[in-house]
Amino acid sequence: MDTTLADPLLGVVLDRRYRVRAVLAHGGMSTVYTGWDLRLDRPVAIKVMSPSFSTDPAFVRQFGTEARSAARLSHLNVVSVFDQGSDSGHVFLVMELVSGRTLRQLLRERGALAPDLAVSLLEPVLAALAAAHRAGLAHRDVKPENVLLSDTGVVKVADFGLARAVASATSTQSGSVMGTVAYVAPEQVSRGTADARTDVYSAGIMLYELLVGAPPYRGDTAISVAYRHVHEDVPPPSTAVPGIPPELDALVLRATRREPDARPADAAAFAAELRDVRAALGLARVAVPPVLPVPPGPAGAEPVRSDHALNRTRALGTPVGAPVPPPRPGGSAAGRGAAGSPYPDEQRAHRRRGIVALVAVLLLGAAAAGVGWSYGVLHYTRVPVVTGLAQGAATTAMRAGHLRVRPTTSAVFDDRVRAGLVAGSNPGPGKRVARGGDVTLLVSKGPAPRRVPDLSGRDTDDALRALSGLGLGGRLERAFADVDAGQVAGTVPGAGSTARIGSTVTVLVSEGRLPDTTGDSRGKAESRLRSAGLKVRVTENFSDDAPRGKVASQRPSGGTVRPGATVTLVVSRGSQSVQVPNVIGRTVQDARAELEGLGFRVTVHDVLGGPGGRVVAQTPIAGFARQRGSTVRLDVL
């Protein structure tokens, strides 16, 4: 019998808009259906939460909050959230319908994956998590079941915020921790905290599983696996699959350190390290493998279900702050002793005394743990993640965490957070602080300005790559310069200047030296410069170096000159030095006229003290060269 036919939701229209069509997958907390959006006429996926959650007001409230936060994420590798709501006791989430399979199904098909495929699948997962971390969200339940591999080859991450919403419905379990035990981070178990570094740990466990074919820890119970996360270091993948490169071993170990501060700070940092390892190993990018053909199943085949209870999101039931007990060894020693001991009564008495002693020790330990846990809960708190929030929202979050926000903020540059929003806090997120303690908000000033490098003499491709590496754009512009044609002559703004990230730097590419028009006629010089795209300004002056009408000099004569710049030409008016003529014996009027016409100044000295008639002497004497503007003295009789 097809069990899906008995599902009462099939054919139901939720919120008078979403028709439930078929069961897609079953899980411990929800059932996913294919559906149809009657308003927008498109297929959707509908996740309907278990009835045990829909009656919990805390869950419904938190579910809506987390759904709205997830809906604000817009990224290629994030499953889009379209809507959320509640109808007739059914709490549901409407999402993008991704045609394909989960990463869990791929692992069941193939087992351990080759390093190039493992890295190629993890990269888009980290890109999705990085987008969430930039928005101040942590996933809290990273695992292969929440990674979808679409038929088009796109990797998408689903269920952002769902674990946090479910945690609100289990709050009656003192300190219960939500997560999937195979991937849960130590701090989720021991302290009940989760942030970006928690997602890094889970992604590191997932990388281990991609390389090995199974997660590092297994056990018969959830608590036995949780104990190993808290008390054991994740082993290198190569201990299970020899031949895995040591660079990947080291990356897995860094991402899964038990102390959160020892891991990459967030998914973006993890992704950067993954790219470095890819480059160091020369791993190629591999496409998502196609679905393997499988024989058709029986008509009543069940929908996809989680293959193991330890792979399901669940409340671990461990009090936050309490010590995680070690798993019990397998088998029953008591049964074996009763059958084989010649003194069963003595052994039973010894066993009873041991049990009494063990119970006493456990009670004392529980009491001590309870006192310590109560002290920690009552006196200390953890700084929440407020990155990307407005200052008001960040202040509210801090107050909700029993912390006081200092009235003065600290401005910092941040390449990932828009100016005016909160880039972080001091103490940082996840730090343990006394309740009522002070926290300073770090407000982003936007990306730090970049210093323009000296690109002179480089080729254009090299220059543009250097600018791109700094987050700057480059625009090529031709200019005359003193470097070889085709090489970079300089930049605008110049080397050493600062530029905002994303701004464009003009790269001046040499067309060769500026044309030299010295000695050309005025007309020829103007024509040459204008044809080169330059403006011309002309002045005239005396010159001993150039004949009259020729260019004596130009400014500038070299250096870097951009098209449209103005070049000033100095055209010669002739020599500056003039030979003094002989004016002795001529009338004063004729002598003055000739000398002043040549550019001299004239002074007259009347020898007899009266009005003179003719020149009897001159200083300087005729034949000497003197500069125009100098004075000639005439003695008149």
Side-chain angles (χ1 to χ4, degrees):
M1 176 183 175
D2 187 348
T3 57
T4 61
L5 294 177
D7 194 315
L9 272 179
L10 296 183
V12 170
V13 177
L14 296 175
D15 202 21
R16 297 186 296 178
R17 176 174 179 178
Y18 304 106
R19 185 179 298 281
V20 179
R21 284 188 160 182
V23 177
L24 191 62
H26 282 305
M29 302 183 304
S30 64
T31 301
V32 181
Y33 301 87
T34 60
W36 194 263
D37 184 342
L38 300 177
R39 186 177 304 167
L40 297 180
D41 197 27
R42 63 177 177 180
V44 293
I46 306 173
K47 181 186 287 285
V48 180
M49 303 307 297
S50 169
S52 61
F53 294 115
S54 59
T55 57
D56 189 298
F59 169 78
V60 175
R61 181 172 59 253
Q62 189 68 35
F63 181 80
T65 300
E66 295 300 325
R68 286 190 292 273
S69 297
R72 288 196 293 270
L73 287 177
S74 178
H75 193 276
L76 173 67
N77 301 116
V78 175
V79 174
S80 299
V81 174
F82 297 147
D83 196 2
Q84 62 84 27
S86 177
D87 188 350
S88 302
H90 301 295
V91 177
F92 63 90
L93 190 69
V94 181
M95 305 172 295
E96 168 190 8
L97 180 61
V98 179
S99 176
R101 58 184 166 170
T102 67
L103 183 55
R104 170 65 62 206
Q105 290 169 295
L106 177 66
L107 286 168
R108 282 204 297 264
E109 290 172 7
R110 299 198 173 206
L113 305 180
D116 55 357
L117 178 56
V119 170
S120 297
L121 292 173
L122 187 64
E123 270 191 324
V125 173
L126 294 179
L129 295 175
H133 295 168
R134 284 193 294 271
L137 301 176
H139 190 289
R140 299 167 179 256
D141 195 21
V142 178
K143 59 182 178 179
E145 285 80 358
N146 285 335
V147 178
L148 309 184
L149 312 178
S150 76
D151 291 339
T152 60
V154 179
V155 178
K156 291 179 174 283
V157 179
D159 284 358
F160 278 91
L162 190 58
R164 178 169 179 162
V166 175
S168 68
T170 61
S171 58
T172 55
Q173 303 175 25
S174 176
S176 63
V177 179
M178 291 308 304
T180 302
V181 70
Y183 309 90
V184 70
E187 64 270 17
Q188 284 180 281
V189 178
S190 61
R191 299 194 292 266
T193 61
D195 58 17
R197 298 165 300 177
T198 305
D199 289 347
V200 167
Y201 181 93
S202 300
I205 296 291
M206 199 162 69
L207 177 57
Y208 179 102
E209 183 175 7
L210 294 177
L211 295 168
V212 173
Y217 302 136
R218 296 186 179 183
D220 294 331
T221 63
I223 198 63
S224 66
V225 177
Y227 176 89
R228 300 187 67 183
H229 281 289
V230 174
H231 295 286
E232 297 180 16
D233 291 327
V234 173
S238 61
T239 59
V241 179
I244 290 177
E247 291 86 351
L248 282 172
D249 274 347
L251 182 61
V252 169
L253 297 185
R254 283 197 301 275
T256 57
R257 296 293 186 201
R258 283 184 282 162
E259 179 54 46
D261 287 341
R263 303 172 203 150
D266 55 22
F270 189 4
E273 294 193 26
L274 187 69
R275 287 192 294 270
D276 290 342
V277 169
R278 173 197 285 285
L281 297 177
L283 299 178
R285 296 185 185 277
V286 181
V288 174
V291 179
L292 295 177
V294 294
E302 286 283 344
V304 176
R305 295 179 182 271
S306 180
D307 58 345
H308 197 284
L310 298 184
N311 290 338
R312 298 174 187 165
T313 305
R314 56 186 291 168
L316 303 181
T318 303
V320 176
V324 181
R328 291 179 300 174
S332 171
R336 291 191 300 271
S341 171
Y343 306 105
D345 292 339
E346 181 180 343
Q347 193 165 44
R348 279 195 294 271
H350 176 73
R351 197 162 54 246
R352 281 195 298 272
R353 288 193 297 272
I355 291 172
V356 170
L358 177 62
V359 169
V361 169
L362 290 177
L363 288 174
L364 288 173
V371 171
W373 175 75
S374 298
Y375 181 83
V377 169
L378 294 175
H379 292 274
Y380 290 95
T381 185
R382 298 276 173 180
V383 178
V385 177
V386 293
T387 302
L389 298 181
Q391 292 186 49
T395 300
T396 300
M398 292 294 184
R399 288 173 178 167
H402 308 287
L403 296 169
R404 294 187 305 179
V405 176
R406 293 187 180 96
T408 57
T409 61
S410 181
V412 295
F413 289 112
D414 193 291
D415 289 351
R416 297 177 301 174
V417 179
R418 193 172 69 248
L421 298 182
V422 175
S425 60
N426 185 20
K431 295 295 184 182
R432 192 165 178 258
V433 179
R435 287 191 173 219
D438 291 334
V439 177
T440 299
L441 295 180
L442 308 179
V443 179
S444 174
K445 296 191 290 185
R450 299 321 198 225
R451 192 168 296 278
V452 179
D454 185 359
L455 304 174
S456 301
R458 300 194 191 184
D459 61 51
T460 54
D461 289 342
D462 187 23
L464 293 177
R465 279 194 298 270
L467 292 174
S468 177
L470 294 172
L472 301 172
R475 179 170 60 89
L476 301 180
E477 183 177 300
R478 296 290 173 181
F480 298 102
D482 296 337
V483 297
D484 292 341
Q487 291 187 336
V488 175
T491 56
V492 179
S497 303
T498 57
R500 290 183 299 102
I501 189 170
S503 62
T504 299
V505 174
T506 300
V507 179
L508 303 177
V509 183
S510 175
E511 286 193 328
R513 291 184 60 86
L514 180 70
D516 183 5
T517 62
T518 304
D520 290 347
S521 66
R522 172 176 176 169
K524 181 181 178 180
E526 289 189 61
S527 177
R528 287 180 64 191
L529 293 173
R530 288 197 173 102
S531 64
L534 300 165
K535 297 176 182 178
V536 180
R537 177 174 174 268
V538 178
T539 62
E540 293 184 349
N541 206 346
F542 295 106
S543 174
D544 293 333
D545 299 322
R548 184 181 181 89
K550 301 291 185 179
V551 175
S553 64
Q554 70 176 49
R555 299 189 304 271
S557 59
T560 302
V561 180
R562 301 168 68 181
T566 298
V567 176
T568 300
L569 299 179
V570 179
V571 178
S572 175
R573 295 176 59 184
S575 175
Q576 183 75 3
S577 298
V578 181
Q579 191 175 33
V580 179
N582 185 5
V583 293
I584 294 175
R586 300 178 65 177
T587 64
V588 174
Q589 291 81 2
D590 289 344
R592 184 190 292 275
E594 183 177 355
L595 290 170
E596 288 180 348
L598 292 172
F600 294 111
R601 295 178 181 176
V602 178
T603 62
V604 178
H605 179 253
D606 196 325
V607 176
L608 297 180
R614 293 185 179 275
V615 176
V616 294
Q618 67 180 59
T619 305
I621 62 175
F624 282 88
R626 292 290 185 269
Q627 290 210 347
R628 300 175 191 271
S630 61
T631 302
V632 177
R633 170 177 166 163
L634 301 179
D635 293 328
V636 179
L637 181 61

